[in-house]
Amino acid sequence: MSRAKIKSYSALGILLLFSFLAFTQEQDQLKEAKPMAGEGMYAFLIRHKLSPAEHQQQFIELNQGKFGDNNSLLAHHTYWLPLTTTELYEPLFGEERERFPLESAELKGAAFYLVAGHGGPDPGAIGNYGSNELHEDEYAYDITLRLAKKLMENGAKIHLVVQDNDDGIRDEQILQYDNHETCGEEVIPLDQVERLRQRTKEVNTLFKKDTESYRRCIIIHLDSRSKRRQIDVFFYHHKNSKSGTKLAYELRDTFDEKYKQHQPSRGFSGTVSTRNLYLLRHTTPAAVFIELGNIQNYRDQQRFILADNRQALANWLYEGIKKDFERNNKK
């Protein structure tokens, strides 16, 4: 037998092994049940809250060899029940991502008020990347959307305070600037103080309507400093907010762990501190204000312009939030 054929068979064996493992792992998640006397497949599926139209074919494939004539159920057999998924819908994520499955209920009982920095007539900080301009509001918004989707996928209630019906989650490096963002459904004013008041009012109004025991406000920005100044992610909280302080430290510690894992030689210098910022002072829920890096610095810009890095930022923020939620629920 040729060496090439040996390699081919080895690869096939590995593929079959992985297929078998995937099937057995799926079976570990499935539930089993026995039919009642005289019960047909249709009634059996209905009794287990499964739609025959949607799940009959999957049910037959899962239980091959266990049926009588015309796929009748046999009383002495136990049958696998198909897995069901809950589909979520959020059009603000864009057409390609607006429908997605609920992955877990790990954050059930949590509500989040996500505020992407600037927007509308205010682009925020502007950095130069080659011949292109990077606008803070576009990158802060994209990362906020990615975080929102991750939180929703795991059972949390999400309020996107700043919204843009035109821009969903985008994978381009250079995110084109527009001024279509709104605060809820309201036009964002030009005056800075009015913008901050508008966002604060929106957060506090939503907070009053919610009943979740865990409610947090996450405010996402990019910083602007000297081009030579590379910085890490910084977390700010109000000096009198114990919950905001704990969340800020949980986020910082999570980023520290991730940097040790992915960039062990670099280290992480992001800090937690208090700042007398308007939203931190006036929003009702505990809040954390996050600066994700220097939009002027080339190395920091890689953190924003690459879609995978934007997703990593959202994932790490999610993990820190999840840890804080779990710690809070242990009390």
Side-chain angles (χ1 to χ4, degrees):
M1 185 181 293
S2 70
R3 185 174 301 177
K5 287 184 178 180
I6 292 173
K7 288 182 178 179
S8 176
Y9 288 148
S10 298
L12 178 60
I14 292 171
L15 178 61
L16 290 172
L17 174 62
F18 280 128
S19 297
F20 173 75
L21 289 174
F23 176 73
T24 56
Q25 287 172 354
E26 181 184 11
Q27 282 188 315
D28 287 341
Q29 301 174 29
L30 295 174
K31 293 182 180 180
E32 297 177 285
K34 282 191 173 183
M36 299 172 66
E39 189 173 39
M41 186 187 301
Y42 186 94
F44 180 77
L45 291 174
I46 291 293
R47 181 162 62 87
H48 291 284
K49 300 181 180 180
L50 295 167
S51 165
E54 294 180 18
H55 299 107
Q56 180 172 322
Q57 187 59 40
Q58 186 185 1
F59 177 75
I60 292 172
E61 292 172 359
L62 283 171
N63 296 284
Q64 291 181 11
K66 295 183 177 181
F67 299 105
D69 295 339
N70 298 318
N71 289 325
S72 60
L73 303 185
L74 304 176
H76 63 281
H77 276 310
T78 299
Y79 292 87
W80 296 110
L81 297 173
L83 291 171
T84 59
T85 58
T86 300
E87 184 180 79
L88 303 176
Y89 175 68
E90 177 47 72
L92 288 172
F93 296 155
E95 290 185 5
E96 294 182 0
R97 293 177 168 97
E98 65 184 7
R99 298 184 185 278
F100 53 97
L102 176 68
E103 295 182 356
S104 80
E106 292 178 334
L107 290 179
K108 185 178 180 180
F112 296 93
Y113 315 91
L114 304 181
V115 186
H118 305 282
D122 175 22
I126 298 175
N128 294 313
Y129 187 78
S131 60
N132 297 294
E133 287 187 344
L134 308 180
H135 292 81
E136 176 184 1
D137 66 327
E138 301 297 335
Y139 290 90
Y141 184 65
D142 188 78
I143 294 165
T144 300
L145 288 182
R146 292 171 186 270
L147 173 60
K149 184 171 182 288
K150 189 71 177 176
L151 292 168
M152 285 185 68
E153 286 172 345
N154 291 280
K157 178 189 287 187
I158 295 301
H159 299 288
L160 286 159
V161 176
V162 174
Q163 303 180 2
D164 190 327
N165 292 323
D166 296 330
D167 294 333
I169 296 172
R170 294 172 282 175
D171 293 327
E172 297 84 2
Q173 290 192 9
I174 308 302
L175 301 183
Q176 296 301 315
Y177 169 71
D178 64 37
N179 59 359
H180 300 158
E181 294 86 6
T182 60
C183 178
E185 297 180 354
E186 297 182 2
V187 174
I188 297 175
L190 179 62
D191 181 78
Q192 181 184 15
V193 175
E194 289 302 313
R195 286 200 306 273
L196 295 174
R197 286 176 178 167
Q198 183 187 58
R199 291 171 193 213
T200 300
K201 180 181 177 181
E202 181 72 6
V203 170
N204 293 343
T205 299
L206 293 167
F207 177 86
K208 290 179 180 178
K209 295 179 181 178
D210 287 336
T211 59
E212 285 73 15
S213 59
Y214 181 94
R215 288 172 278 181
R216 299 292 185 269
C217 179
I218 309 294
I219 306 154
I220 295 179
H221 280 253
L222 278 62
D223 207 349
S224 179
R225 305 191 185 189
S226 164
K227 290 183 179 181
R228 296 182 179 181
R229 183 84 182 275
Q230 183 181 7
I231 62 174
D232 279 324
V233 181
F234 294 95
F235 307 92
Y236 304 109
H237 61 88
H238 189 270
K239 62 181 180 180
N240 295 329
S241 174
K242 292 182 180 179
S243 295
T245 302
K246 290 177 181 178
L247 175 57
Y249 275 102
E250 198 71 76
L251 290 168
R252 195 280 310 272
D253 292 346
T254 299
F255 270 69
D256 186 41
E257 292 172 5
K258 294 298 182 181
Y259 269 78
K260 286 178 180 177
Q261 178 183 349
H262 297 285
Q263 300 185 49
S265 61
R266 180 185 181 280
F268 180 70
S269 60
T271 61
V272 172
S273 59
T274 62
R275 281 190 68 179
N276 191 34
L277 298 169
Y278 190 97
L279 283 171
L280 293 179
R281 292 200 313 271
H282 296 289
T283 50
T284 306
V288 174
F289 188 107
I290 305 166
E291 295 276 14
L292 292 173
N294 180 9
I295 200 170
Q296 306 291 347
N297 179 269
Y298 176 79
R299 290 186 179 275
D300 280 6
Q301 287 171 342
Q302 307 311 303
R303 200 179 300 161
F304 315 132
I305 66 168
L306 301 178
D308 286 347
N309 288 349
R310 297 199 295 274
Q311 187 61 52
L313 287 170
N315 292 346
W316 296 359
L317 289 171
Y318 162 77
E319 290 190 29
I321 291 168
K322 180 185 170 185
K323 290 176 184 176
D324 186 70
F325 174 76
E326 291 172 343
R327 174 185 52 76
N328 191 79
N329 278 359
K330 288 180 181 178
K331 295 180 178 180

